[in-house]
Amino acid sequence: AQTVTQSQPEMSVQEAETVTLSCTYDTSESDYYLFWYKQPPSRQMILVIRQEAYKQQNATENRFSVNFQKAAKSFSLKISDSQLGDAAMYFCAYRRIQGGSEKLVFGKGTKLTVNP
Amino acid sequence: DTGVSQNPRHKITKRGQNVTFRCDPISEHNRLYWYRQTLGQGPEFLTYFQNEAQLEKSRLLSDRFSAERPKGSFSTLEIQRTEQGDSAMYLCASSPLQGLSSGNTIYFGEGSWLTVV
């Protein structure tokens, strides 16, 4: 079974600084998707960024970028120029492509605090 | 607001009672998902529908849990004979027809909090 591990329960960053959230996963599949989701307090979870495993190029979405290391099964999220609105729980998630499953496997999350 | 809508947002029930949650997906989204999230954990997959067909179920979905999507629009998640371990947030999400298989985003609702006392 696939597992996703987020080893940092909590992280903090100063406004305008850069922070990196870690994620590792375990799978025997070669093709899959990886995601980072953001869950603000009492609000719905939203997709931050997505990476297809077959793509070597790291995904980037404005201030958010990933460092995808397939061999190491590592998928970290870098947030640049952190803003107060970035404060939230961040979840790393995995989805296999083969087998037609729509199931997302989530890590336990990292709580990000942004200090003014 | 055209996002995923869930009702009720909060429910407190006594152990042994039945509860039902409703999810209204984004209009024209064919796929609908249910997840459960407990404190300090990430969401765990329960089940998903494509239109009215329930295509995948997790082993977490015990026989006390039943989900339906009778007309391929809204969905209900019923928990019978609730137990304290059922206390969690129940998240609904929806996506267009091709779902995650084509890299489509799934959109989550704000969740329904269940407390069993």
Side-chain angles (χ1 to χ4, degrees):
Chain A
Q2 293 84 14
T3 58
V4 176
T5 301
Q6 294 178 249
S7 59
Q8 307 153 315
E10 296 187 27
M11 291 282 285
S12 63
V13 63
Q14 291 297 126
E15 194 175 6
E17 297 294 309
T18 295
V19 65
T20 298
L21 308 184
S22 300
C23 172
T24 59
Y25 58 94
D26 185 26
T27 182
S28 58
E29 305 284 337
S30 59
D31 290 325
Y32 46 87
Y33 289 111
L34 294 165
F35 306 85
W36 279 98
Y37 280 88
K38 170 185 178 182
Q39 188 177 40
S42 301
R43 296 185 62 186
Q44 65 261 54
M45 192 171 311
I46 58 173
L47 178 67
V48 174
I49 199 165
R50 172 178 56 224
Q51 174 81 40
E52 292 87 347
Y54 63 87
K55 290 186 177 178
Q56 293 184 340
Q57 186 172 7
N58 290 324
T60 300
E61 288 287 342
N62 301 314
R63 298 183 295 106
F64 298 87
S65 61
V66 298
N67 183 4
F68 173 49
Q69 301 289 329
K70 190 173 183 180
K73 297 181 181 175
S74 171
F75 183 61
S76 60
L77 174 70
K78 185 172 82 172
I79 306 174
S80 303
D81 185 26
S82 297
Q83 300 175 0
L84 295 177
D86 294 334
M89 285 293 293
Y90 285 82
F91 292 97
C92 178
Y94 164 100
R95 182 199 168 267
R96 63 187 298 190
I97 293 178
Q98 296 298 322
S101 174
E102 288 286 313
K103 170 183 169 181
L104 281 170
V105 178
F106 287 87
K108 291 186 176 183
T110 296
K111 181 180 180 181
L112 178 65
T113 301
V114 181
N115 301 309
Chain B
D1 186 7
T2 57
V4 177
S5 177
Q6 293 190 243
N7 289 287
R9 294 291 317 281
H10 301 273
K11 178 73 175 179
I12 300 174
T13 191
K14 292 183 178 180
R15 189 177 56 182
Q17 298 294 305
N18 299 344
V19 296
T20 299
F21 298 110
R22 175 178 168 127
C23 172
D24 288 90
I26 294 172
S27 179
E28 298 183 354
H29 276 192
N30 301 85
R31 295 196 171 194
L32 185 146
Y33 313 79
W34 284 100
Y35 283 79
R36 181 174 71 183
Q37 185 176 16
T38 54
L39 285 174
Q41 302 292 322
E44 298 172 291
F45 173 81
L46 293 178
T47 187
Y48 103 92
F49 294 83
Q50 180 168 310
N51 299 314
E52 66 275 9
Q54 189 173 19
L55 297 185
E56 190 174 358
K57 291 171 61 173
S58 163
R59 276 174 274 182
L60 290 175
L61 213 64
S62 74
D63 57 6
R64 295 185 300 105
F65 288 70
S66 63
E68 295 182 344
R69 196 182 182 197
K71 298 182 180 180
S73 56
F74 73 91
S75 175
T76 58
L77 176 68
E78 181 183 18
I79 309 173
Q80 296 181 325
R81 304 180 304 280
T82 53
E83 302 172 355
Q84 286 187 323
D86 297 332
S87 296
M89 181 164 67
Y90 291 85
L91 291 165
C92 180
S94 70
S95 75
L97 176 61
Q98 293 177 322
L100 294 174
S101 62
S102 294
N104 280 329
T105 298
I106 67 171
Y107 297 86
F108 284 87
E110 295 186 0
S112 292
W113 277 103
L114 173 65
T115 301
V116 181
V117 296

